[in-house]
Amino acid sequence: MTYTYGIQKLGDLADIRSGYLFKGALPEDASGDVSVVQVKDLKAGQPIGWENCARVAEGRLMNEARLRRGLVIFSAKGSRNFAWHIDDQPDFAIANSLFHVIDARSPEIDPAFLAWQINQPKAQGWIDNASAGVTVRNVKISALRDLPVVVPPIEIQLKIASYESAAAAERRALKALIQNREREMRGIAATILSGKTT
């Protein structure tokens, strides 16, 4: 049996705002209360490592930019225009202005499914065509609002999001196993090739 799902514009499903704009260089403060998510901290398909983020002292309007569980952040500038769903609650974190923050206000769309869909080749192709900029690619909020989003029943969305979460965990576990085996092999090589025996 074939099903046809509705398609809506992202702007009809979610509110989109820019990340927090710092004037000048990031004022890092190791004892600061606020974690700042930057593009360099993230990898596609990997969870956000809050502990690796730079910290700053709380500043003006930061509370309004505060990230929370259920939001989606989208890297809007540069060549990696991916989305990350915030599935845990950070203590106090903000995304810098290289991100757009997507708040799925419609009960028709699950945020984790939305992030997954944005990262799929079809949406990525659309985003690539809609981006502006010659030297540095930039996806404007006005363009992102027009992104076509397929909206299957919520139970299907939740199932897909669950599958994606499990697959990501498996990828991380496999990567850890591979890295561990490589360390073992380097140790064996160092011992054997030194001509020493134990």
Side-chain angles (χ1 to χ4, degrees):
M1 183 178 292
T2 301
Y3 295 93
T4 301
Y5 301 131
I7 298 177
Q8 297 188 47
K9 291 182 178 180
L10 178 56
D12 293 331
L13 298 166
D15 295 318
I16 308 173
R17 62 175 170 82
S18 293
Y20 188 85
L21 177 63
F22 289 93
K23 294 181 179 179
L26 187 72
E28 291 193 42
D29 179 352
S31 62
D33 298 323
V34 182
S35 299
V36 182
V37 181
Q38 302 175 81
V39 174
K40 69 180 181 65
D41 299 324
L42 304 178
K43 292 183 180 179
Q46 297 291 321
I48 300 171
W50 304 108
E51 68 281 358
N52 298 323
C53 295
R55 301 188 73 83
V56 299
E58 185 176 350
R60 184 172 173 270
L61 301 180
M62 280 189 184
N63 200 53
E64 296 177 17
R66 190 170 185 166
L67 299 175
R68 57 175 171 76
R69 180 186 288 114
L71 294 176
V72 173
I73 58 173
F74 172 80
S75 56
K77 292 183 175 64
S79 59
R80 301 186 303 154
N81 303 122
F82 296 113
W84 288 265
H85 169 240
I86 300 175
D87 58 2
D88 57 352
Q89 182 61 52
D91 291 335
F92 193 155
I94 59 176
N96 71 9
S97 59
L98 298 184
F99 291 93
H100 296 327
V101 181
I102 304 170
D103 185 0
R105 66 176 183 273
S106 171
E108 294 182 64
I109 194 74
D110 174 67
F113 171 80
L114 176 60
W116 172 82
Q117 186 173 164
I118 290 172
N119 292 335
Q120 298 309 300
K122 186 172 183 179
Q124 286 291 303
W126 188 95
I127 290 166
D128 186 50
N129 289 331
S131 61
V134 177
T135 55
V136 179
R137 194 163 67 177
N138 177 29
V139 183
K140 296 181 179 179
I141 289 179
S142 57
L144 195 58
R145 287 194 182 109
D146 288 333
L147 174 68
V149 176
V150 178
V151 186
I154 195 70
E155 60 270 17
I156 292 178
Q157 296 182 41
L158 294 173
K159 186 176 292 186
I160 291 173
S162 177
Y163 287 162
E164 171 59 19
S165 178
E170 289 168 0
R171 286 193 295 269
R172 291 193 297 273
L174 183 57
K175 182 178 179 181
L177 286 171
I178 292 170
Q179 290 174 337
N180 185 57
R181 182 65 69 196
E182 288 174 345
R183 282 193 296 269
E184 290 178 349
M185 293 308 299
R186 286 195 296 271
I188 291 170
T191 300
I192 297 298
L193 299 181
S194 69
K196 298 177 181 178
T197 59
T198 57

PDB file of all heavy atoms in Angstrom, residues 110 113 153-165:
ATOM      1  N   ASP A 110       7.640  16.330  15.003  1.00  0.00           N
ATOM      2  CA  ASP A 110       8.526  15.984  16.105  1.00  0.00           C
ATOM      3  C   ASP A 110       9.899  16.602  15.844  1.00  0.00           C
ATOM      4  O   ASP A 110      10.453  16.440  14.747  1.00  0.00           O
ATOM      5  CB  ASP A 110       8.649  14.464  16.213  1.00  0.00           C
ATOM      6  CG  ASP A 110       9.670  14.052  17.248  1.00  0.00           C
ATOM      7  OD1 ASP A 110       9.424  14.297  18.440  1.00  0.00           O
ATOM      8  OD2 ASP A 110      10.720  13.504  16.860  1.00  0.00           O
ATOM      9  N   PHE A 113      12.629  14.196  14.550  1.00  0.00           N
ATOM     10  CA  PHE A 113      12.351  13.797  13.171  1.00  0.00           C
ATOM     11  C   PHE A 113      12.672  14.950  12.221  1.00  0.00           C
ATOM     12  O   PHE A 113      13.218  14.734  11.134  1.00  0.00           O
ATOM     13  CB  PHE A 113      10.884  13.389  13.031  1.00  0.00           C
ATOM     14  CG  PHE A 113      10.441  13.176  11.613  1.00  0.00           C
ATOM     15  CD1 PHE A 113      10.723  11.987  10.956  1.00  0.00           C
ATOM     16  CD2 PHE A 113       9.753  14.169  10.926  1.00  0.00           C
ATOM     17  CE1 PHE A 113      10.328  11.792   9.632  1.00  0.00           C
ATOM     18  CE2 PHE A 113       9.351  13.983   9.605  1.00  0.00           C
ATOM     19  CZ  PHE A 113       9.641  12.792   8.961  1.00  0.00           C
ATOM     20  N   PRO A 153       2.357  10.874   9.780  1.00  0.00           N
ATOM     21  CA  PRO A 153       1.734  10.798  11.106  1.00  0.00           C
ATOM     22  C   PRO A 153       2.793  10.800  12.202  1.00  0.00           C
ATOM     23  O   PRO A 153       3.886  10.259  12.019  1.00  0.00           O
ATOM     24  CB  PRO A 153       0.962   9.480  11.060  1.00  0.00           C
ATOM     25  CG  PRO A 153       0.675   9.269   9.600  1.00  0.00           C
ATOM     26  CD  PRO A 153       1.873   9.809   8.880  1.00  0.00           C
ATOM     27  N   ILE A 154       2.462  11.390  13.340  1.00  0.00           N
ATOM     28  CA  ILE A 154       3.442  11.574  14.405  1.00  0.00           C
ATOM     29  C   ILE A 154       4.033  10.259  14.894  1.00  0.00           C
ATOM     30  O   ILE A 154       5.215  10.191  15.248  1.00  0.00           O
ATOM     31  CB  ILE A 154       2.813  12.375  15.577  1.00  0.00           C
ATOM     32  CG1 ILE A 154       3.913  12.887  16.523  1.00  0.00           C
ATOM     33  CG2 ILE A 154       1.768  11.548  16.294  1.00  0.00           C
ATOM     34  CD1 ILE A 154       4.765  13.969  15.952  1.00  0.00           C
ATOM     35  N   GLU A 155       3.228   9.181  14.876  1.00  0.00           N
ATOM     36  CA  GLU A 155       3.760   7.903  15.349  1.00  0.00           C
ATOM     37  C   GLU A 155       4.876   7.393  14.435  1.00  0.00           C
ATOM     38  O   GLU A 155       5.829   6.756  14.890  1.00  0.00           O
ATOM     39  CB  GLU A 155       2.658   6.857  15.492  1.00  0.00           C
ATOM     40  CG  GLU A 155       1.905   6.520  14.221  1.00  0.00           C
ATOM     41  CD  GLU A 155       0.684   7.410  14.000  1.00  0.00           C
ATOM     42  OE1 GLU A 155       0.603   8.474  14.638  1.00  0.00           O
ATOM     43  OE2 GLU A 155      -0.171   7.010  13.181  1.00  0.00           O
ATOM     44  N   ILE A 156       4.780   7.686  13.138  1.00  0.00           N
ATOM     45  CA  ILE A 156       5.841   7.303  12.204  1.00  0.00           C
ATOM     46  C   ILE A 156       7.073   8.170  12.439  1.00  0.00           C
ATOM     47  O   ILE A 156       8.209   7.689  12.420  1.00  0.00           O
ATOM     48  CB  ILE A 156       5.346   7.422  10.748  1.00  0.00           C
ATOM     49  CG1 ILE A 156       4.273   6.360  10.481  1.00  0.00           C
ATOM     50  CG2 ILE A 156       6.508   7.289   9.755  1.00  0.00           C
ATOM     51  CD1 ILE A 156       3.685   6.405   9.101  1.00  0.00           C
ATOM     52  N   GLN A 157       6.860   9.450  12.685  1.00  0.00           N
ATOM     53  CA  GLN A 157       7.979  10.343  12.982  1.00  0.00           C
ATOM     54  C   GLN A 157       8.753   9.867  14.205  1.00  0.00           C
ATOM     55  O   GLN A 157       9.983   9.826  14.201  1.00  0.00           O
ATOM     56  CB  GLN A 157       7.466  11.760  13.229  1.00  0.00           C
ATOM     57  CG  GLN A 157       6.811  12.413  12.033  1.00  0.00           C
ATOM     58  CD  GLN A 157       6.365  13.825  12.345  1.00  0.00           C
ATOM     59  OE1 GLN A 157       7.067  14.580  13.015  1.00  0.00           O
ATOM     60  NE2 GLN A 157       5.180  14.204  11.880  1.00  0.00           N
ATOM     61  N   LEU A 158       8.028   9.519  15.261  1.00  0.00           N
ATOM     62  CA  LEU A 158       8.678   9.077  16.492  1.00  0.00           C
ATOM     63  C   LEU A 158       9.456   7.785  16.276  1.00  0.00           C
ATOM     64  O   LEU A 158      10.542   7.598  16.838  1.00  0.00           O
ATOM     65  CB  LEU A 158       7.633   8.889  17.595  1.00  0.00           C
ATOM     66  CG  LEU A 158       6.924  10.171  18.061  1.00  0.00           C
ATOM     67  CD1 LEU A 158       5.807   9.830  19.032  1.00  0.00           C
ATOM     68  CD2 LEU A 158       7.913  11.135  18.709  1.00  0.00           C
ATOM     69  N   LYS A 159       8.918   6.898  15.444  1.00  0.00           N
ATOM     70  CA  LYS A 159       9.602   5.635  15.162  1.00  0.00           C
ATOM     71  C   LYS A 159      10.900   5.892  14.400  1.00  0.00           C
ATOM     72  O   LYS A 159      11.938   5.311  14.721  1.00  0.00           O
ATOM     73  CB  LYS A 159       8.674   4.719  14.355  1.00  0.00           C
ATOM     74  CG  LYS A 159       9.230   3.325  14.118  1.00  0.00           C
ATOM     75  CD  LYS A 159       8.225   2.438  13.397  1.00  0.00           C
ATOM     76  CE  LYS A 159       7.035   2.116  14.278  1.00  0.00           C
ATOM     77  NZ  LYS A 159       6.124   1.129  13.640  1.00  0.00           N
ATOM     78  N   ILE A 160      10.848   6.772  13.409  1.00  0.00           N
ATOM     79  CA  ILE A 160      12.047   7.091  12.636  1.00  0.00           C
ATOM     80  C   ILE A 160      13.097   7.754  13.523  1.00  0.00           C
ATOM     81  O   ILE A 160      14.290   7.432  13.465  1.00  0.00           O
ATOM     82  CB  ILE A 160      11.694   7.994  11.438  1.00  0.00           C
ATOM     83  CG1 ILE A 160      10.888   7.200  10.410  1.00  0.00           C
ATOM     84  CG2 ILE A 160      12.959   8.571  10.800  1.00  0.00           C
ATOM     85  CD1 ILE A 160      10.335   8.022   9.278  1.00  0.00           C
ATOM     86  N   ALA A 161      12.657   8.683  14.383  1.00  0.00           N
ATOM     87  CA  ALA A 161      13.589   9.356  15.289  1.00  0.00           C
ATOM     88  C   ALA A 161      14.242   8.357  16.229  1.00  0.00           C
ATOM     89  O   ALA A 161      15.437   8.455  16.533  1.00  0.00           O
ATOM     90  CB  ALA A 161      12.857  10.439  16.079  1.00  0.00           C
ATOM     91  N   SER A 162      13.465   7.360  16.677  1.00  0.00           N
ATOM     92  CA  SER A 162      14.004   6.326  17.560  1.00  0.00           C
ATOM     93  C   SER A 162      15.030   5.471  16.827  1.00  0.00           C
ATOM     94  O   SER A 162      16.098   5.144  17.370  1.00  0.00           O
ATOM     95  CB  SER A 162      12.864   5.456  18.093  1.00  0.00           C
ATOM     96  OG  SER A 162      13.351   4.407  18.887  1.00  0.00           O
ATOM     97  N   TYR A 163      14.729   5.113  15.586  1.00  0.00           N
ATOM     98  CA  TYR A 163      15.670   4.343  14.776  1.00  0.00           C
ATOM     99  C   TYR A 163      16.972   5.104  14.581  1.00  0.00           C
ATOM    100  O   TYR A 163      18.065   4.547  14.681  1.00  0.00           O
ATOM    101  CB  TYR A 163      15.068   4.017  13.406  1.00  0.00           C
ATOM    102  CG  TYR A 163      13.992   2.969  13.401  1.00  0.00           C
ATOM    103  CD1 TYR A 163      13.128   2.849  12.318  1.00  0.00           C
ATOM    104  CD2 TYR A 163      13.823   2.086  14.462  1.00  0.00           C
ATOM    105  CE1 TYR A 163      12.121   1.887  12.293  1.00  0.00           C
ATOM    106  CE2 TYR A 163      12.827   1.127  14.446  1.00  0.00           C
ATOM    107  CZ  TYR A 163      11.974   1.029  13.370  1.00  0.00           C
ATOM    108  OH  TYR A 163      10.983   0.091  13.352  1.00  0.00           O
ATOM    109  N   GLU A 164      16.854   6.388  14.292  1.00  0.00           N
ATOM    110  CA  GLU A 164      18.035   7.215  14.049  1.00  0.00           C
ATOM    111  C   GLU A 164      18.882   7.323  15.319  1.00  0.00           C
ATOM    112  O   GLU A 164      20.114   7.241  15.271  1.00  0.00           O
ATOM    113  CB  GLU A 164      17.621   8.608  13.580  1.00  0.00           C
ATOM    114  CG  GLU A 164      18.757   9.624  13.513  1.00  0.00           C
ATOM    115  CD  GLU A 164      19.886   9.219  12.589  1.00  0.00           C
ATOM    116  OE1 GLU A 164      19.697   8.346  11.715  1.00  0.00           O
ATOM    117  OE2 GLU A 164      20.985   9.781  12.734  1.00  0.00           O
ATOM    118  N   SER A 165      18.228   7.477  16.465  1.00  0.00           N
ATOM    119  CA  SER A 165      18.954   7.559  17.728  1.00  0.00           C
ATOM    120  C   SER A 165      19.710   6.258  18.001  1.00  0.00           C
ATOM    121  O   SER A 165      20.886   6.276  18.408  1.00  0.00           O
ATOM    122  CB  SER A 165      17.978   7.847  18.874  1.00  0.00           C
ATOM    123  OG  SER A 165      18.649   7.888  20.106  1.00  0.00           O
TER     124      SER A 165
END
